[in-house]
Structures are given as structure tokens and as C-alpha cells.
Amino acid sequence: MPGRFTGGCQCGAVRFAVEGPLGPASICHCRMCQKAFGGFFAPLVSVREARKVTWTRGERALYQSSNLVARGFCASCGTPLTYEAPDGMAMAIGAFDDPGMITPTLQYGLEAKLPYVDHLADLSGTRTEQDIAATAFLADIVSFQHPDHDTAVWPPESVTMQHPDQLETRENDA
């Protein structure tokens, strides 16, 4: 899938752009990926075939999770961003602005696959706005999450003025 793809972390301190085709998308069930993502598996897409990956705001921090693999993340909010190995880099699908356009086509690390993952679609569910018990809680939420598109300045001044203690690392993000 050729083109330009953008994304970033939850807080907006790190943003990226991928120019060119994305490679294969996968989910990895290995225990290291479960821990790195804090989830049941790691959804990743290869960017080895892309012409260019640019960090357009901030830089990812790196954690050397093994002798051969480093994992990129936002040092401010902890969002997982990359899996970096000798054969190239993959990026977290959920960090893209439009993750629905990236469909995983294979799975790795099946030896650590959690036994209930294949049955998640069978669970009952509700949309957030339909949770009557959470109505008051939801009405009071003010999101500080970066929107799913590039911004010239982040955070907006209105957020900075209301919560300066949470935004101390972002003075150079313009």
C-alpha cells in the first residue's frame, strides 16, 4: 500500500510519517511483545520497504529488550511505537492515525498465545456511550490525547493553561 502514513503517541510528544509502501502487517503473541505492549499481543506493520520514516515531532526513546531487538516508545506517555531488529523496523499499528487501514495478515509467537484470544469476538459488548452506569463519569472526561492528525502546535494553549504540570516536556513541539 503506497502513500504517506502519519501517526504518533497518545500525548503528541512524538509524531512520525512513513513515505512509501507499508510491508506485511502482523500480530505477535510472544511474551516479550505482550509485555512491551501491555496487551494480549503486539500489532505491527513492517516499514522496511518504505522510502522514508521521519520523526516529525520529538524522538522515540529506545529500550533494548534483547541483544538483537530495540523497542521504541514515547518517553512522556509510554505509547509503544516500534520494534527494531537487524532485518528492519516495524511500527505499532495502533500508533498510526488511521489504524483501520492496516490489516494484519499473519501471526507470530503462537507458543505464547493466550488461550482466550481466539474467543474475544464471542464476548458480549457495548459501545461507550451506551454504558448507562458510566454516564456521569463520561460526561466529566476532558481528553488530553493528541488527535489522529498532524498539528502545527501541541498541546493547544487551552490545555497547557489548564494542566501545565502534565505538559512540562512539550515546550519545543511547535
Side-chain angles (χ1 to χ4, degrees):
M1 112 180 30
R4 183 172 193 273
F5 307 93
T6 59
C9 68
Q10 185 175 23
C11 75
V14 180
R15 295 282 301 159
F16 62 82
V18 178
E19 295 178 35
L22 298 176
S26 63
I27 58 175
C28 183
H29 297 276
C30 83
R31 187 64 184 129
M32 196 176 288
C33 280
Q34 289 172 356
K35 290 189 84 146
F37 277 71
F40 303 147
F41 48 78
L44 297 160
V45 62
S46 173
V47 294
R48 285 184 291 233
E49 299 164 24
R51 289 185 304 280
K52 188 176 182 184
V53 175
T54 306
W55 300 100
T56 59
R57 179 180 294 144
E59 281 286 333
R60 72 201 179 285
L62 288 172
Y63 171 68
Q64 192 75 38
S65 61
S66 73
N67 62 322
L68 297 177
V69 174
R71 294 172 185 269
F73 63 97
C74 173
S76 294
C77 68
T79 300
L81 297 168
T82 65
Y83 169 93
E84 302 177 38
D87 64 345
M89 182 165 64
M91 300 189 83
I93 293 172
F96 281 81
D97 290 337
D98 188 3
M101 69 176 177
I102 305 168
T103 303
T105 57
L106 75 143
Q107 301 180 69
Y108 293 105
L110 295 177
E111 69 283 352
K113 186 177 184 180
L114 297 171
Y116 46 80
V117 168
D118 288 334
H119 306 287
L120 294 177
D122 299 334
L123 297 175
S124 63
T126 185
R127 294 180 55 87
T128 303
E129 66 273 10
Q130 294 173 327
D131 185 355
I132 303 303
T135 301
F137 170 76
L138 295 171
D140 288 339
I141 290 179
V142 176
S143 176
F144 302 136
Q145 181 169 297
H146 190 276
D148 286 334
H149 57 80
D150 286 331
T151 55
V153 176
W154 189 261
E157 190 171 314
S158 61
V159 173
T160 306
M161 299 309 284
Q162 292 173 15
H163 301 278
D165 55 316
Q166 296 177 5
L167 305 166
E168 62 195 50
T169 62
R170 304 213 201 90
E171 62 270 356
N172 296 321
D173 283 349

